[in-house]
């Protein structure tokens, strides 16, 4: 990409060494725990407890995974989280586009004031308790809506989308459509949406990952374990160490006492991160694009 | 820009606006749903924030509850824990800014300078990956890695001749674990914004610098760094605007009885007082105090960013 250096001084060589070293260092520092967790989850309980695992799996076995996939709470969590993610992303995308499109049009009288109305929510909030009371008074506690609604709308994403509309949909197009008698509804549906694939993908991914990875709303508003999203189930297992003993029925009493929980936790970490990690190489370029669109914001 | 919507001469601006609004009523209709949303989930809680000055009674509701003035604020600031909680929030934040500011810039420059395409791609992909790990799994990972008996870090320490270490139980270690694990998870993501800025540096500028005899270090110093300076400045200024809003999710999961003296922050405290102990008024007051400080900080940060010529958040 860059043309070859004509002048290579000694300090240049030191600099190159430092930068390359930095890159190697961080790549290894980031990669090692990931590899270690994967290897530990695939090793035998004896090897994990005996501290024999350093890099690669020792005495490989899939028993931990069998135990994880037999756990009803984890499976239910997966199902719930999938529902929350799909439903929540749809709602969030609709809200975002419905706000971004009108606010991107100069023809909207009072646009400045309306914009300010949205922006203000980004810098000031009523706080956790008043929000909790609103959700409670609306009767949303212990329903799907309590997970997907309270943080459904991100002003930041709306600004990114609005900027995209402003820079990618020429005024001339809008004016021409107006002259041809195209209504605003129709323009949104037939022109704006078809031209906005990339930004909808980016914003949708932001919302989807947020819904899949978050646990705050569920912690506040969901008491019934039946409705627990995956992250709350994981919290029970990984952080609170409330392990369902039936998960461990395969293993001997002795191993159970020796902290077999550790092995299962590694497997749980892998299983929980796998869906996002597998999708990640495919969606990475969208995320990169999203960051850049956000940075472009004027 | 002449548009077909230009108001005819002689009409008042207000009349023109009304005419415009009548013609584009559909825009308002589209906007109705998001407006209803922010009214319900953003502005209604702001109205509810008056609870900070009231003794909440569920039967009387927010409006009907009796006023108690500044009682909760006085109570909070008189309690010995308030100062510690505020200081914890501040120090986690500032520590985080210090660490998370410099490293992503170096990573971006290093990625940008790396001339082996395949390695650069792999390095970017790997450093970026942890960003997608959820907070719960991330904390689970930290707990596993630091587990006093089986974790890889205490084992390495032991292998190198160190003693037994229970890092999660140590108030001294908490903030470092929080901040450095945050860097581990976020460095690749944070570097992207600088990489994008670096990619925008025109090749002509680089070539001119080379022809003028710039060494590699000089090119980085005099071409690359000035090119990403605006991004650096705005990122830094804005991060100060968020100094008092440390995220709830990760801190809450990392807390335990042993490290609480350095891990209790405003948001986790509000949660415990308000939703665990059901002391709504007191918790709302602390939350409101936090929101007001955030507002002031953001307004200042925004003004600073504008003064620096970078344009602010608004």
């Amino acid at each position: 990409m860059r043309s070859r250096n004509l002048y290579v001084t000694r300090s240049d060589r030191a600099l190159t060494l430092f930068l390359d070293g930095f890159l190697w260092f961080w790549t290894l520092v980031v990669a090692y725990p990931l590899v270690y967790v994967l290897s530990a989850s695939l090793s035998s309980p004896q090897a994990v407890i005996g501290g024999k695992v350093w890099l690669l799996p020792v005495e490989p076995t899939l028993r931990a995974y069998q135990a994880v996939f037999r756990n009803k709470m984890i499976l239910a969590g997966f199902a719930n989280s999938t529902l929350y993610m799909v439903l929540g992303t749809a709602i969030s995308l609709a809200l975002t586009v419905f706000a971004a499109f009108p606010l991107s049009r100069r023809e909207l009288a009072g646009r400045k004031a309306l914009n300010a109305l949205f922006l203000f929510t980004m810098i000031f909030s009523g706080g956790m308790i008043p929000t909790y009371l609103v959700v409670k008074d609306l009767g949303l506690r212990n329903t799907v809506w309590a997970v997907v609604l309270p943080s459904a709308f991100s002003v930041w994403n709306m600004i990114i989308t609005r900027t995209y509309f402003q820079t990618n949909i020429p005024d001339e197009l809008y004016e021409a459509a107006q002259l041809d008698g195209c209504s605003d509804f129709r323009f949104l549906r037939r022109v704006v949406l078809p031209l906005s694939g990339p930004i909808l993908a980016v914003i949708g991914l932001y919302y989807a990952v947020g819904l899949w990875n978050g646990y705050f709303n569920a912690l506040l508003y969901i008491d019934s374990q039946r409705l627990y999203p995956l992250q709350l189930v994981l919290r029970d297992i990984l952080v609170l160490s409330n392990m369902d003993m039936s998960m461990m029925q395969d293993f001997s009493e002795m191993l159970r006492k020796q902290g077999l929980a550790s092995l299962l936790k590694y497997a749980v970490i892998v299983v929980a991160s796998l869906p996002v990690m597998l999708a990640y190489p495919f969606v990475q370029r969208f995320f990169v694009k999203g960051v850049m669109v956000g940075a472009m914001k004027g | 820009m002449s548009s077909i919507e230009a108001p005819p001469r002689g009409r008042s601006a207000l009349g023109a606006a009304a005419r415009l609004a009548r013609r584009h009523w559909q825009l308002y209709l589209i906007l109705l749903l998001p407006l209803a949303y922010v009214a319900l989930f953003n502005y209604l809680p702001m109205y509810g924030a008056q609870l900070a000055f009231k003794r909440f009674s569920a039967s009387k509701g927010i409006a009907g509850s009796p006023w108690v003035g500044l009682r909760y604020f006085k109570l909070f600031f008189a309690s010995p824990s308030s100062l510690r909680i505020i200081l914890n929030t501040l120090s986690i934040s500032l520590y985080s800014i210090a660490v998370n500011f410099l490293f992503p810039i170096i990573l971006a420059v290093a990625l940008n300078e790396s001339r082996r395409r395949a390695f650069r791609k792999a390095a970017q992909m790997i450093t970026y990956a942890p960003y997608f790990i959820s907070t719960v799994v991330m904390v689970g990972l930290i707990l596993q890695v630091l587990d006093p008996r089986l974790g890889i870090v205490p084992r390495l320490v032991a292998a190198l001749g160190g003693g037994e270490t229970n890092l999660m139980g140590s108030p001294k270690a908490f903030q470092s674990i929080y901040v450095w694990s945050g860097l581990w998870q976020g460095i690749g993501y944070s570097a992207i914004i600088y990489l994008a800025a670096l990619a925008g540096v025109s090749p002509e500028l680089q070539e001119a610098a080379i022809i003028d005899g710039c060494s590699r270090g000089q090119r980085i110093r005099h071409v690359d760094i000035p090119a990403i300076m605006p991004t650096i400045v705005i990122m830094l200024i804005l991060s100060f605007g968020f100094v008092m809003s440390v995220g709830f999710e990760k801190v809450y999961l990392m807390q335990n009885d042993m490290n609480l003296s350095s891990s209790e922050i405003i948001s986790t405290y509000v949660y415990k007082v308000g939703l665990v102990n059901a002391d709504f008024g007191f918790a709302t007051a602390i939350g409101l105090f936090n929101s007001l400080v955030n507002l002031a900080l953001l307004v200042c940060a925004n003004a600073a960013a504008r003064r620096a010529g970078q344009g602010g958040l608004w």
Side-chain angles (χ1 to χ4, degrees):
Chain A
M1 216 174 125
R2 179 161 297 171
S3 48
R4 211 166 56 81
N5 272 340
L6 298 181
Y7 306 93
V8 182
T9 65
R10 182 177 302 183
S11 71
D12 272 4
R13 238 171 277 140
L15 185 72
T16 307
L17 210 62
F18 167 74
L19 289 177
D20 278 355
F22 188 85
L23 216 50
W24 274 108
F25 173 78
W26 268 107
T27 307
L28 292 178
V29 163
V30 170
Y32 179 64
L34 299 176
V35 173
Y36 176 80
V37 168
L38 185 63
S39 297
S41 74
L42 289 166
S43 299
S44 74
Q46 291 89 344
V48 171
I49 293 161
K52 286 185 214 141
V53 182
W54 289 102
L55 182 64
L56 295 174
V58 177
E59 303 159 32
T61 163
L62 286 174
R63 280 164 76 193
Y65 287 94
Q66 288 166 351
V68 168
F69 281 114
R70 218 176 294 133
N71 184 303
K72 288 212 174 63
M73 284 304 289
I74 291 181
L75 295 181
F78 259 105
N80 285 338
S81 282
T82 308
L83 169 70
Y84 299 153
M85 185 177 73
V86 172
L87 184 67
T89 306
I91 293 173
S92 296
L93 271 179
L95 282 172
T96 307
V97 169
F98 288 163
F101 171 61
L103 293 175
S104 75
R105 298 305 331 161
R106 244 180 304 124
E107 292 75 12
L108 185 80
R111 183 164 77 129
K112 263 204 167 137
L114 288 166
N115 248 323
L117 203 64
F118 283 100
L119 258 166
F120 187 65
T121 67
M122 193 157 80
I123 61 172
F124 186 75
S125 90
M128 191 187 294
I129 307 300
T131 309
Y132 172 85
L133 288 175
V134 166
V135 173
K136 183 167 159 262
D137 291 345
L138 289 171
L140 301 181
R141 288 194 64 229
N142 285 315
T143 67
V144 176
W145 308 109
V147 181
V148 298
L149 283 183
S151 38
F153 182 68
S154 144
V155 176
W156 185 246
N157 285 346
M158 188 274 283
I159 294 174
I160 294 175
T161 312
R162 194 190 65 196
T163 309
Y164 184 91
F165 288 164
Q166 278 165 345
T167 46
N168 286 277
I169 295 168
D171 280 346
E172 289 78 7
L173 200 58
Y174 184 73
E175 282 155 17
Q178 289 276 303
L179 280 178
D180 289 345
C182 176
S183 72
D184 288 318
F185 285 157
R186 207 180 151 91
F187 187 74
L188 173 61
R189 203 171 33 145
R190 304 299 284 270
V191 180
V192 175
L193 289 183
L195 284 176
S196 308
I199 194 67
L200 294 183
V202 171
I203 299 296
L205 281 168
Y206 277 142
Y207 281 127
V209 171
L211 282 157
W212 184 265
N213 280 348
Y215 76 90
F216 184 71
N217 286 337
L219 176 75
L220 253 60
Y221 306 121
I222 303 288
D223 300 322
S224 145
Q225 293 220 340
R226 221 167 29 84
L227 290 171
Y228 267 18
L230 182 63
Q231 301 301 329
L232 273 193
V233 178
L234 296 177
R235 168 174 174 255
D236 274 352
I237 297 173
L238 291 174
V239 182
L240 305 180
S241 287
N242 292 337
M243 196 85 63
D244 177 7
M245 279 303 157
S246 66
M247 269 172 90
M248 303 183 204
Q249 62 197 2
D250 277 6
F251 305 101
S252 75
E253 189 68 27
M254 182 201 68
L255 283 177
R256 204 179 294 181
K257 281 184 186 139
Q258 282 184 339
L260 180 75
S262 203
L263 174 72
L264 291 173
K265 284 181 183 177
Y266 287 124
V268 167
I269 289 176
V270 174
V271 169
S273 312
L274 219 55
V276 186
M277 284 289 185
L278 284 182
Y280 154 64
F282 302 101
V283 302
Q284 186 207 18
R285 64 197 180 90
F286 286 116
F287 268 94
V288 174
K289 216 181 275 168
V291 174
M292 292 193 210
V293 174
M296 232 166 53
K297 179 212 110 80
Chain B
M1 260 174 265
S2 74
S3 119
I4 53 166
E5 309 300 343
R9 255 175 301 170
R11 286 260 188 120
S12 74
L14 206 65
R19 216 170 58 89
L20 209 56
R22 213 171 309 128
R23 180 185 299 189
H24 292 284
W25 59 273
Q26 289 189 341
L27 289 179
Y28 295 90
L29 202 59
I30 296 171
L31 198 56
L32 207 57
L33 201 60
L35 272 179
Y37 179 89
V38 292
L40 205 54
F41 287 98
N42 296 100
Y43 283 98
L44 200 53
M46 286 184 209
Y47 168 78
Q50 59 175 284
L51 270 186
F53 310 97
K54 286 185 161 184
R55 190 195 323 276
F56 182 66
S57 132
S59 56
K60 289 179 192 148
I62 291 173
S65 298
W67 293 95
V68 293
L70 292 174
R71 181 160 179 262
Y72 296 123
F73 291 91
K74 286 180 189 151
L75 216 60
F76 177 61
F77 288 109
S79 79
S81 46
S82 65
L83 185 66
R84 206 196 53 209
I85 291 165
I86 293 170
L87 284 181
N88 281 344
T89 310
L90 273 177
S91 87
I92 289 180
S93 243
L94 293 174
Y95 190 176
S96 206
I97 291 175
V99 168
N100 287 294
F101 167 65
L102 190 60
F103 287 94
I105 298 174
I106 303 179
L107 182 69
V109 171
L111 282 168
N112 193 50
E113 285 295 310
S114 174
R115 272 170 295 170
R116 274 160 301 175
R117 237 186 125 78
F119 174 58
R120 188 177 61 196
K121 269 202 143 152
Q124 195 182 351
M125 192 120 167
I126 290 169
T127 51
Y128 188 25
Y131 179 73
F132 294 93
I133 296 175
S134 75
T135 312
V136 176
V137 171
M138 183 66 208
V139 174
L141 189 66
I142 294 171
L143 295 178
Q144 283 305 98
V145 165
L146 299 181
D147 184 87
R149 228 153 32 88
L150 301 169
I152 191 84
V153 169
R155 277 170 59 206
L156 279 171
V157 170
L160 295 171
E164 199 176 309
T165 38
N166 180 9
L167 290 169
M168 282 313 291
S170 144
K172 254 188 265 160
F174 175 84
Q175 301 198 350
S176 291
I177 298 170
Y178 177 87
V179 168
W180 290 97
S181 65
L183 179 70
W184 182 83
Q185 190 171 15
I187 186 170
Y189 179 77
S190 312
I192 291 177
I193 194 161
Y194 300 113
L195 264 179
L198 282 171
V201 178
S202 89
E204 285 88 2
L205 214 54
Q206 297 282 6
E207 278 158 26
I210 293 172
I211 288 168
D212 287 349
C214 272
S215 70
R216 206 170 188 197
Q218 283 169 324
R219 272 194 294 112
I220 292 178
R221 195 165 347 124
H222 298 296
V223 181
D224 286 345
I225 299 293
I228 60 174
M229 209 41 158
T231 314
I232 294 177
V233 170
I234 192 162
M235 295 303 278
L236 192 61
I237 292 175
L238 289 181
S239 61
F240 279 104
F242 291 98
V243 144
M244 284 287 273
S245 34
V246 178
F248 169 91
E249 292 203 348
K250 191 174 165 195
V251 173
Y252 181 66
L253 291 176
M254 284 176 69
Q255 281 178 346
N256 57 46
D257 293 340
M258 285 179 285
N259 66 25
L260 212 54
S261 64
S262 75
S263 65
E264 189 79 288
I265 60 170
I266 296 176
S267 56
T268 57
Y269 189 66
V270 168
Y271 173 74
K272 286 171 198 168
V273 169
L275 295 180
V276 181
N277 300 343
D279 196 346
F280 285 162
F282 189 46
T284 306
I286 305 167
L288 184 63
F289 159 72
N290 195 18
S291 291
L292 288 173
V293 174
N294 282 340
L295 178 65
L297 284 170
L298 271 170
V299 168
C300 292
N302 196 61
R306 291 191 149 210
R307 179 157 295 186
Q310 305 306 333
L313 271 174
W314 65 88

